[in-house]
Amino acid sequence: EDKRLAQLKADLNTYEAEMFTKMVIGKEPIDKFDEYVETLYGLGLDEVLEIYEAGHARYQEMAKKEK
């Protein structure tokens, strides 16, 4: 999971930083925000969320066992 998460986050972080800056300085119109979000999902945002949710679920299970 860690290796896959690192790969996904590298691409997502690069795209997010580039597009956020472009939108802030006006090189990309804000009405392209939906397209921006779709691209994030296309780059694996849903998989990143699944990995984090699975890790959180494992943490919760461990916490229950320690009580």
Side-chain angles (χ1 to χ4, degrees), residues 19-49:
M19 291 304 292
F20 180 80
T21 301
K22 286 180 181 180
M23 287 184 188
V24 168
I25 64 174
K27 285 191 174 185
E28 287 289 337
I30 196 71
D31 59 345
K32 284 194 169 187
F33 186 77
D34 289 341
E35 182 180 318
Y36 162 75
V37 172
E38 287 177 25
T39 301
L40 289 174
Y41 277 98
L43 290 171
L45 181 59
D46 51 350
E47 189 175 349
V48 169
L49 295 173

